[in-house]
Amino acid sequence: MSYIFSFMKRLQLLITAFGVLLSLNTFANALVSIKGKVVDATTQAPLVGATLYISDLKASTSTNSNGEFTFNNVPAKGKFLLEVRYLGYKTSSKLIDLAVPQDISFALAPSVIESAEVVITGTPFSSNNKTNSLAVVSVSRDQLAQSAATNLVDAIAKVPGVSQVTTGGAISKPTIRGLGYNRVLTMVDGAREEGQQWGDEHGVQVDQFSAARIEVLKGPASLLYGSDALGGVINIIDDLVPAEGTYNGNFTTNYNTNGGLTGSSLMMQGNTNGFVYRGRVSYKNAYGFGYKDHVVPNAGFNEINTSAMLGLNKTWGYTHLSLSRFATNIGLVEEGPDADGNYADEDGNIISNSDAKKRSLNLPFQNINHYRAALNSNVLLGGGQLKSTFAFQRNIRKEFEETKDEPGLNLGLNSYTYDVKYSFANNGVWEPTIGLQGMYQTNKNSGEEFLVPDYNSNNVGAFAYLKRNFENGAINAGVRYDYKKIDGKDLVNEDGDQVFNAFNNKFSNVTGSVGFAFDIAKNLNLKGNIGSGFRAPNIAELGANGKHEGTFRYEIGNSSLKQETSLQFDLGLTYQAENITLGLNAYSNKIYNYIYLSNLNSETIDYTGEEGDVETLPVYRFLQTDASLIGGEASVDFHLVKALHFENTFAYVKGTNNATNSPLPFIPAASLNNEIRFEPQIKGLNDSFIKVGLTNVFKQDRIDAFETETDGYTLFDAGIGTSFKTKKGKFNVWVTGQNLTNKLYYNHLSRYKLANIYNPGRNVSFGISVPL
């Protein structure tokens, strides 16, 4: 690891020195500031505490008691999108030219409805979401915290079109519009996360407390992100740096009654003359989740995460070095309950709920360590922006099955990624960008069991993107070329048995995208996109041969698989008036050579474990077919009175195997979410709310031959919370309840459904967030 960090440090110094030289040669002003004011559009009264952001510079500030703001150490030239947010007012943004002296002012209109905010996902420049042709939904830190979720992916599961493949409370994998696994790309610190994400029980390795917000891009995003973004992108975005001269922090803690989850996180950050820094440490611990009168034994987990960021924000741009370690231990459940609903140990003795609530993990369990180093920079060059992300990740995944001393499965994955984009100087009308991205990977088995072979992988992609802005909208287009090579290694075990045969595969593809977004009438926005996607098969699909703990099956790969390609049509309509918003999205996605798992003709295999015990497992093989996914999302928000919000969302996707005209497997059921939220104005308090909601999931009876139907269900949720101002900032407190009727149900994508283990029952979560 030391040589990686040495490399990153030298690279940081090189970019910093380059930026300093650039600033000396290009900008005469050593220190540049911009100032402005934020007022109420009706009364012209100053708005105190409004927050302003320049995402492309990773800069933020807030207004003082006179509604005035200042950004220091900003470039002397360049056009950047400046966004301002203030609770109870419409979010506003405008493109500012720093080379032109001007009085920057915002007059915000009061509104009970949040307007489209600035997003950074799916576009090289930060842009107003109304001009983004792709469907992007943003989830704030408060929404994440108040969801009472046990992991980050569960926290966004109510976004229309998003669902999750779950393995208990610790592991969730995102799916977007019916596509998951390596078809959804997760971005962390500006780099794609690589952590053996092909596995059913391999979750996202991210500290959920670190996310300032999450942007979910729904639809093919291969143009800007390459292979594995065929279904969409989950972009986990950390905080922008604080204003210059600021030093602050935050402590957040919560407790869940179901599973006894305790989670806490401490963060401190500061900005001293453009030298920015942040440190965070988080800890979570839980025993097994429960439903009705049962607690699932060995379903607990513990997790400790540490991260740090050091960087410079100067007149030439910024450079930030982020380092993190994600470490977790997760219990795996091998067997479900007996006919009476009780859980038993290996000797057949009933496990009591009190024993199941012990926080120590038994065999089998996972131990995962994920190390990440990322260097993010934006250097202003030739009037344009040179953005780059260089990252190194090491994922060490161990599964302990027979003993806690030696892992059965032990995988070590090293990933080196780079992403360099240059956005040419523009006048706010034409926005051209070119980019180069790539990744080199090595994966090595060090355990006594094998599921996937050792391999090396190398891929590279280049793209060109152009956006044309108009007064009431924008159009965009782009083209991309990708090439990937993967070499699987031969392996013979100690008994002389051939476990894996060597293979060498090459994949290449050209993708493109064309889209538009326009205000076609007052309060009415129409957007559409036609995009192609590309995904090379992952190592499990090409070379798997074995049983993975917690999967309840034996998987066999196919090294002859072809790459997946797709063509998706997406159309969205948004109507936003004073007291109502309406959103409709429809899509049709044709995927060629779609790869999926199937248990053909009830095939089984007798699998012998390390201690000679034999169990019969179903055999799942990776197959290919042409497939179609069609569906849509709808949302309606009523605000009949200022303090009352009635929010409703619906999502549906239908997956079809075009070769057999039969349903695709593992497609989420249709869902309808309703929530009433009351936000009273209470003297001395802020952001107060009371909410009640219903999650309605419909029966899923469109299933593949080896699947079973899943009944529909309705869950009742509720919550209450408030905040009050202190000298350091806002002190938040909330209580959230989930499944308050203690409903017994299966989620169709729950992997524990195969073992007749229900999803979690009633849960009440208590949380506080304290400014420091």
Side-chain angles (χ1 to χ4, degrees), residues 21 41 69 80 206 306 332 438 476 516 526 534 565 572 618 659 664 703 723 767:
L21 290 173
F69 66 87
F80 299 92
V206 181
T306 54
L332 298 173
N476 64 80
F516 68 89
L526 178 69
F534 156 73
T565 57
L664 288 177
I703 54 175
S723 69

Side-chain angles (χ1 to χ4, degrees), residues 679-697:
E679 299 176 347
Q681 298 295 317
I682 303 175
K683 186 176 181 180
L685 299 177
N686 300 279
D687 310 331
S688 301
F689 71 89
I690 302 172
K691 65 177 182 179
V692 293
L694 293 177
T695 299
N696 306 279
V697 178

Side-chain angles (χ1 to χ4, degrees), residues 478-741:
V479 64
R480 180 188 180 100
Y481 173 78
D482 282 280
Y483 172 84
K484 180 172 183 177
K485 179 182 179 182
I486 182 167
D487 297 322
K489 307 301 182 181
D490 186 88
L491 179 64
V492 178
N493 64 17
E494 295 178 353
D495 298 327
D497 298 325
Q498 187 79 31
V499 182
F500 302 112
N501 293 309
F503 61 85
N504 178 283
N505 287 7
K506 299 177 182 178
F507 307 95
S508 62
N509 195 70
V510 176
T511 52
S513 177
V514 177
F516 68 89
F518 281 94
D519 292 329
I520 57 175
K522 183 180 180 181
N523 302 325
L524 191 62
N525 181 264
L526 178 69
K527 61 176 60 180
N529 196 81
I530 303 174
S532 58
F534 156 73
R535 184 181 78 88
N538 62 49
I539 188 60
E541 294 164 340
L542 292 170
N545 184 20
K547 176 202 174 186
H548 209 177
E549 287 298 333
T551 61
F552 308 102
R553 65 185 181 227
Y554 192 98
E555 298 179 4
I556 298 178
N558 179 1
S559 61
S560 299
L561 292 174
K562 301 177 182 179
Q563 66 199 35
E564 290 182 343
T565 57
S566 72
L567 182 63
Q568 176 164 317
F569 296 83
D570 197 303
L571 193 64
L573 184 68
T574 302
Y575 175 75
Q576 181 174 304
E578 183 176 356
N579 294 310
I580 185 174
T581 59
L582 169 67
L584 296 172
N585 274 93
Y587 59 89
S588 173
N589 194 4
K590 177 70 177 293
I591 303 180
Y592 304 92
N593 298 314
Y594 178 84
I595 301 171
Y596 67 103
L597 268 175
S598 184
N599 175 233
L600 299 174
N601 302 318
S602 301
E603 180 185 4
T604 61
I605 190 172
D606 291 331
Y607 175 78
T608 303
E610 290 184 9
E611 296 188 352
D613 53 316
V614 179
E615 59 179 325
T616 301
L617 295 173
V619 174
Y620 282 73
R621 297 180 181 272
F622 288 96
L623 307 175
Q624 284 192 297
T625 184
D626 288 347
S628 297
L629 294 103
I630 61 171
E633 299 103 29
S635 63
V636 182
D637 297 351
F638 297 101
H639 302 267
L640 302 181
V641 296
K642 182 177 181 180
L644 191 65
H645 305 251
F646 182 34
E647 302 177 353
N648 310 268
T649 64
F650 175 76
Y652 171 77
V653 57
K654 176 183 177 182
T656 303
N657 182 328
N658 291 347
T660 61
N661 200 32
S662 60
L664 288 177
F666 309 120
I667 297 297
S671 62
L672 173 66
N673 294 315
N674 314 104
E675 181 178 283
I676 296 177
R677 184 182 179 98
F678 178 58
E679 299 176 347
Q681 298 295 317
I682 303 175
K683 186 176 181 180
L685 299 177
N686 300 279
D687 310 331
S688 301
F689 71 89
I690 302 172
K691 65 177 182 179
V692 293
L694 293 177
T695 299
N696 306 279
V697 178
F698 296 87
K699 181 178 181 178
Q700 180 55 290
D701 54 8
R702 293 196 79 256
I703 54 175
D704 202 344
F706 66 88
E707 291 183 290
T708 58
E709 294 184 358
T710 305
D711 291 334
Y713 53 88
T714 298
L715 306 179
F716 175 67
D717 304 330
I720 185 171
T722 191
S723 69
F724 54 90
K725 292 183 178 180
T726 69
K727 292 182 178 180
K728 298 292 185 179
K730 288 197 305 182
F731 186 109
N732 294 288
V733 59
W734 65 89
V735 180
T736 304
Q738 298 173 308
N739 190 11
L740 291 176
T741 60

Side-chain angles (χ1 to χ4, degrees), residues 302-305 325-329 367-370:
N302 57 72
E303 179 184 309
I304 185 166
N305 306 307
R325 175 181 181 247
F326 175 95
T328 185
N329 295 288
N367 170 260
I368 303 165
N369 282 274
H370 191 90

